Amino acid sequence: MVALSLAKVKDAWRISGDVPAGSITDSAQFLTAYRQVDLFFPDRTMTRLVADPRWLFGTEPDPSALVNRLLGGPTTVLAGAVAQGAGRGATLLGPVTVAGDLVTVPLGNVADSDAKSRTILAAQIIWTLDDAGISGTYRITADGAPLVADRDEGWRSADVSAFEPDPKEPVDPVHLIRDGALTRLTAGRAVPVAGELGASRKIISAGISADMTQAAAVIDRDGRRTLMVGPYGGTPIEAAAGREMTTPSFGPDVDSGYLAVDGKPVRWVYADGGSVRSAPVDASAVTAAAPGPITDLQVSPDGVRVALVVGGRVLMAALSVNDRGVPSLTGVYPLAPDLAGEVVDVAWSTAKTLFIARAGDDVPVWRTSIAGTQPVEIVSGNLKPPVVELAASGTQVYATDNRGVQQIGTGTTRPDQYWTALGPDAGIGTVAVVPGR
């Protein structure tokens, strides 16, 4: 039995104060009473904004509550993976008001006077409010003066477009691993990329950086696995070796990436001079949550989260970096714990959405979110399981079944209702590769 305090609000009794951690409520009631919102914090490089999902009571978001939560800092799960910048210690001097097109945000105690840091704070506030449907001209002040000196007239979201959390991505060409070579799908045909990776016949898996300047491939060498990294279309060099390797994953960075070697996470860094170094990533938090080898590891497009498969289940972790630049996996928690069946592969679509492939013939592909919502099944009537590999972009999912690579559109307006073959060169045994994933 749990003792709760109640308060009467507008003739209705409400729970007053925090509910004890671990409390369980009916999901339908919860989704009726609460709305999911995203707060945005800068990553450690202070160049990108990262979503921190929260659930707030009420069907309409309160702008003051949003900004107060934002100024309160990130959740403990993300604490080591993001920065707080000029928002550290800042407070709201009064309510956030919305009058027509004008949104006024009165801040106080903004100690950091650096214009760049204050601009990032403005971007955090603007994109947090904009994402919640509160848009317009944002007048943000610090102790009564404009937060940034030349912003007397306020801000529009276009003024901080460089920090847009989910910008529209260019449609990069899908690549295929076909007959052990890395190929680029051009006019429906698989054309080998230039260099050694296009001429290989032993590639098992591959990753390509978002700007298509770097590539990484796992090569089979007489039953051993070798990670080769280097310029896209150029000459790769060996970065790691082992018995088993997961698919390489770049995330947003060009010169570094991650994969699991013999069940343990490894980071590689490629230097312009043609040298490469690799080092293990501290995964003690993963081992504590789920002992066993990591059989899949994929970095989110924003580079802050990592989706893992351990023991056939999906785990989410934050990619934290200490002051010496040493990475570790922290804040580990199960994602989609109620999803039955063994998970065989995961693929990021956006920084907030993940697709999951599970073993078996019954609904092999699912979509889930970092917000912890219930997984949603993807139509599978014309897939031919088992599905052994997944890849995804912001609008498409690619699944390798027993006929080859199948694709389905997942756009929010009119998602496809059935899977179609990717093309005549994407037959049995081929695997799709999406740049930046």
Side-chain angles (χ1 to χ4, degrees), residues 128-148:
T128 294
L129 293 173
D130 182 86
D131 191 71
I134 303 167
S135 58
T137 299
Y138 302 91
R139 181 171 293 166
I140 307 173
T141 60
D143 295 313
L147 177 64
V148 177

Side-chain angles (χ1 to χ4, degrees), residues 143-167:
D143 295 313
L147 177 64
V148 177
D150 62 350
R151 289 293 175 181
D152 303 65
E153 300 302 317
W155 307 69
R156 304 291 293 189
S157 59
D159 297 324
V160 287
S161 60
F163 295 96
E164 186 175 355
D166 290 311

Side-chain angles (χ1 to χ4, degrees), residues 92-359:
L92 265 181
L93 295 181
V96 176
T97 59
V98 181
D101 183 62
L102 184 63
V103 182
T104 302
V105 184
L107 301 178
N109 198 34
V110 182
D112 194 333
S113 61
D114 179 67
K116 181 179 178 181
S117 296
R118 288 189 169 208
T119 299
I120 295 171
L121 175 58
Q124 290 180 250
I125 293 169
I126 290 166
W127 287 116
T128 294
L129 293 173
D130 182 86
D131 191 71
I134 303 167
S135 58
T137 299
Y138 302 91
R139 181 171 293 166
I140 307 173
T141 60
D143 295 313
L147 177 64
V148 177
D150 62 350
R151 289 293 175 181
D152 303 65
E153 300 302 317
W155 307 69
R156 304 291 293 189
S157 59
D159 297 324
V160 287
S161 60
F163 295 96
E164 186 175 355
D166 290 311
K168 291 183 179 179
E169 300 176 334
V171 181
D172 289 325
V174 177
H175 289 61
L176 293 173
I177 300 172
R178 182 173 185 266
D179 296 331
L182 181 62
T183 67
R184 177 172 175 163
L185 203 60
T186 304
R189 307 305 304 222
V191 179
V193 301
E196 292 183 12
L197 298 184
S200 174
R201 291 296 177 265
K202 296 185 177 182
I203 296 176
I204 297 171
S205 63
I208 300 170
S209 64
D211 65 356
M212 290 182 56
T213 63
Q214 298 288 319
V218 175
I219 307 289
D220 177 27
R221 288 181 173 170
D222 299 322
R224 297 275 295 177
R225 304 289 188 259
T226 302
L227 173 67
M228 305 294 291
V229 301
Y232 178 90
T235 302
I237 57 178
E238 182 174 330
R243 295 184 306 275
E244 298 291 339
M245 288 186 177
T246 60
T247 300
S249 181
F250 277 95
D253 296 323
V254 173
D255 297 324
S256 65
Y258 297 82
L259 81 168
V261 179
D262 295 332
K264 300 181 182 300
V266 170
R267 180 194 188 206
W268 81 81
V269 178
Y270 181 85
D272 289 338
S275 63
V276 64
R277 67 181 188 274
S278 60
V281 176
D282 180 4
S284 54
V286 177
T287 303
I294 297 170
T295 56
D296 196 19
L297 185 158
Q298 292 296 304
V299 180
S300 62
D302 60 18
V304 167
R305 291 178 173 87
V306 179
L308 308 160
V309 178
V310 180
R313 311 302 296 170
V314 183
L315 300 178
M316 189 64 61
L319 188 55
S320 298
V321 180
N322 64 20
D323 294 336
R324 293 178 288 113
V326 179
S328 60
L329 299 180
T330 61
V332 181
Y333 63 93
L335 190 70
D338 296 331
L339 187 62
E342 177 188 2
V343 173
V344 295
D345 201 17
V346 292
W348 290 96
S349 170
T350 68
K352 297 188 287 187
T353 305
L354 189 72
F355 286 88
I356 298 171
R358 64 176 189 170

Side-chain angles (χ1 to χ4, degrees), residues 77-90:
V77 169
L78 286 179
V82 298
Q84 200 167 350
R88 188 181 302 277

